[in-house]
Amino acid sequence: MENVDISKGFVDKPVPADIDIVKEIKKLCKEKNAVIMGHFYQPAEIQDISDYIGDSLALAQLAQKTTADIILVCGVHFMGETAKILCPEKKVLVPDLNAGCSLADSCQPEEFKKFIDEHPGHKVVSYVNTTAKVKALTDICVTSSNAQKIIDQLPKDQKIIFGPDRNLGNYINSTSGRNMLLWDGACEVHEKFSLEKILDLKKQYPDAPVLAHPECKKHVLVVADYVGSTKGIINYVNNSDKKKFIIATESGVIHEMRKQNPDKEFIPVPPDDSTCACNECAYMRLTTLEKVYNALKYEQPEILISEDVRAKAEKSIVTMLQMS
Ligand code: 13P
Ligand code: SF4
């Protein structure tokens, strides 16, 4: 394999202008026994070339089962790490190492360890939007699809530290009657949905239910008709007789909803600080077809995790998958 420069976080090589890039990506996948896993927040053209698309939970479950030699994760960095933690023997690639996550960044391992040490006797439950090092400090991982189900399985008197998302943590506290100790982190994208704009949209579309991701602030969640993961929101739309839906999560999710429900209308909630019509995660949008092509061709950038951290992090994810 040719040695390539990835100092920019991705393979910065020009892609020949005369190739059919989608066809070449498919060809490379076949030749190398590679599989592309894309998250619902990816740009539409990336979702369309993915072998599987899913929410964080589904992507972890798929990684655990795949027989591919190479997994290319089109999402953000922690999603690539989750695949590598579960499949240490496989090559796990991401198109761009700069695709981080503001929520994962809001919980640095050194500070999280200090927090845990200051509160002995607690079970540590972490949202999957965390680095491998934070997962290594965690007893059980959760995603927005299974957080409620997993917390409900813990004894009622079990003291719990929940990190890093204060909004998801507060939401689970309110639905489960728990008093989990929360890490003070948040997602910069979901925190931007404004209640005012949602109330305006509700007036404009009185029949449209509001569907929100639990990373949104409490004042958004209380006016939502449904709160759930990306997959949960898609399922809600699929099973509803309504024709219009107000969507309070990253707008990439609308691509799959439209595909499955061409007769329905989706109204994205805009962020509070702009005139844009929808709210996008800048990290998710770093993936391009060119970066996907180069990642497969040069098998870079690769996710690498020290075995010590990986083995500790694996326990928290495997426990989650068993309890899901
Ligand atoms: P899901 O687990 O619902 O796919 O969400 C992941 C995420 O990053 C939400 O911002
Ligand atoms: Fe992270 Fe928020 Fe982007 Fe999800 S939407 S990947 S939580 S920054």
Side-chain angles (χ1 to χ4, degrees):
M1 186 61 46
E2 187 186 331
N3 228 345
V4 284
D5 174 20
I6 54 158
S7 57
K8 287 188 178 168
F10 55 90
V11 179
D12 188 20
K13 285 222 177 217
V15 173
D18 58 341
I19 65 165
D20 178 339
I21 194 161
V22 172
K23 225 167 150 187
E24 290 303 316
I25 287 170
K26 295 277 170 211
K27 209 164 118 195
L28 283 167
C29 280
K30 215 167 165 196
E31 277 167 23
K32 298 186 179 219
N33 189 26
V35 70
I36 303 180
M37 295 187 184
H39 187 265
F40 290 125
Y41 292 164
Q42 286 290 284
E45 66 276 17
I46 303 298
Q47 293 191 41
D48 289 343
I49 53 124
S50 297
D51 297 295
Y52 303 100
I53 48 167
D55 64 3
S56 310
L57 176 61
L59 296 185
Q61 288 166 328
L62 287 163
Q64 204 187 29
K65 285 190 200 130
T66 184
T67 55
D69 296 314
I70 297 178
I71 304 175
L72 175 67
V73 179
C74 292
V76 289
H77 193 268
F78 78 80
M79 295 175 179
E81 280 193 335
T82 304
K84 186 66 184 178
I85 290 164
L86 289 168
C87 313
E89 76 295 348
K90 296 190 193 297
K91 195 173 252 189
V92 176
L93 306 172
V94 290
D96 187 338
L97 289 169
N98 300 303
C101 167
S102 60
L103 184 48
D105 288 348
S106 70
C107 187
Q108 294 301 318
E110 303 74 23
E111 289 160 33
F112 195 53
K113 168 136 186 17
K114 216 170 130 213
F115 186 68
I116 295 168
D117 291 346
E118 281 164 8
H119 301 96
H122 286 69
K123 190 89 40 233
V124 181
V125 178
S126 295
Y127 193 32
V128 73
N129 295 42
T130 44
T131 60
K133 282 188 180 166
V134 168
K135 287 188 178 78
L137 299 167
T138 295
D139 295 307
I140 314 171
C141 233
V142 297
T143 75
S144 44
S145 274
N146 60 20
Q148 181 80 55
K149 188 174 175 188
I150 289 176
I151 301 287
D152 283 349
Q153 290 174 60
L154 300 177
K156 277 273 170 257
D157 57 353
Q158 174 68 60
K159 289 194 212 162
I160 300 170
I161 285 176
F162 186 89
D165 190 15
R166 59 174 176 251
N167 295 319
L168 176 63
N170 267 319
Y171 178 68
I172 302 285
N173 271 345
S174 72
T175 53
S176 65
R178 302 250 178 185
N179 189 18
M180 300 187 297
L181 194 56
L182 306 182
W183 179 261
D184 194 19
C187 156
E188 67 189 21
V189 179
H190 286 85
E191 285 238 314
K192 272 192 198 152
F193 288 114
S194 92
L195 177 62
E196 210 186 333
K197 288 191 178 171
I198 293 178
L199 296 179
D200 283 351
L201 287 172
K202 270 170 84 85
K203 260 190 226 150
Q204 223 179 313
Y205 305 95
D207 224 26
V210 176
L211 315 182
H213 197 279
E215 289 172 20
C216 295
K217 282 183 174 170
K218 187 178 173 185
H219 60 224
V220 168
L221 299 181
V222 294
V223 299
D225 297 281
Y226 173 77
V227 176
S229 72
T230 48
K231 180 68 181 152
I233 291 175
I234 294 168
N235 287 345
Y236 182 98
V237 169
N238 291 349
N239 297 325
S240 170
D241 295 334
K242 303 272 185 192
K243 289 287 172 213
K244 292 181 184 181
F245 303 86
I246 297 168
I247 308 297
T249 189
E250 216 272 4
S251 54
V253 79
I254 294 175
H255 182 62
E256 182 64 15
M257 291 194 250
R258 277 202 190 112
K259 266 176 79 180
Q260 295 192 34
N261 305 274
D263 58 324
K264 295 182 181 174
E265 192 184 332
F266 305 100
I267 302 114
V269 179
D272 57 3
D273 60 351
S274 91
T275 49
C276 294
C278 50
N279 200 356
E280 291 182 348
C281 170
Y283 306 107
M284 285 281 181
R285 305 287 160 160
L286 287 175
T287 314
T288 61
L289 287 174
E290 288 72 20
K291 286 179 192 165
V292 167
Y293 171 82
N294 277 334
L296 286 167
K297 182 158 183 202
Y298 299 102
E299 300 182 20
Q300 286 285 352
E302 188 180 354
I303 297 276
L304 298 169
I305 305 171
S306 77
E307 180 50 26
D308 172 45
V309 170
R310 192 208 63 79
K312 284 185 192 145
E314 185 180 23
K315 284 192 195 139
S316 68
I317 302 178
V318 169
T319 307
M320 165 183 89
L321 293 173
Q322 286 163 350
M323 293 173 84
S324 291

